Amino acid sequence: MAETAETQQVDGKQAARAERRAARLAKQIGAFAKAHGGAEGQLAYIGQTGTRIVLVGEDGGWGDLVAPSYAVAESAARKSGITMHESFDGEFAAKVRTGPYEWTRMAGIQVGGPANKA
């Protein structure tokens, strides 16, 4: 009987920790949305690391956050009230605006930009 009570206490602490993490992420999502005139998002499972919350602002700005689990990411997105997409394609992906930094770092080598030296 004591083991069950301890297990319930640990589960309760983990649930409370997950809820606090979701609330913090929701606050960050809200701040991003406010800074970019609104936002939309998509959840991408990235393995044991957790789940990436990809955010795209109405102005084309983008960013991401990482949640420790899909459930925490889903809860954070729901709390933030932003529109969520099932996949990152079509009209949603077309909203992303990239700048010189992205071209240099992510595609620079392929399109003749400066080589990334380690």
Side-chain angles (χ1 to χ4, degrees):
M1 198 78 162
E3 288 180 29
T4 303
E6 287 177 18
T7 302
Q8 288 174 346
Q9 186 176 15
V10 169
D11 289 345
K13 286 181 181 179
Q14 288 174 340
R17 187 176 306 124
E19 188 62 30
R20 287 191 304 273
R21 181 68 175 145
R24 279 194 304 272
L25 286 166
K27 187 175 179 179
Q28 291 174 309
I29 293 168
F32 178 90
K34 184 177 179 183
H36 294 276
E40 298 176 43
Q42 189 258 336
L43 302 182
Y45 177 71
I46 54 175
Q48 289 183 332
T49 304
T51 298
R52 175 173 283 133
I53 306 167
V54 180
L55 302 168
V56 178
E58 289 301 316
D59 64 357
W62 60 280
D64 66 350
L65 299 165
V66 176
S69 70
Y70 194 88
V72 170
E74 204 170 35
S75 177
R78 190 174 41 255
K79 287 175 186 297
S80 72
I82 66 170
T83 300
M84 296 301 293
H85 296 268
E86 288 294 318
S87 62
F88 194 80
D89 59 5
E91 280 185 40
F92 181 50
K95 289 183 177 187
V96 175
R97 299 290 170 245
T98 56
Y101 171 79
E102 288 84 9
W103 280 100
T104 301
R105 293 293 294 159
M106 294 192 281
I109 294 171
Q110 290 83 3
V111 296
N116 294 326
K117 297 186 171 115

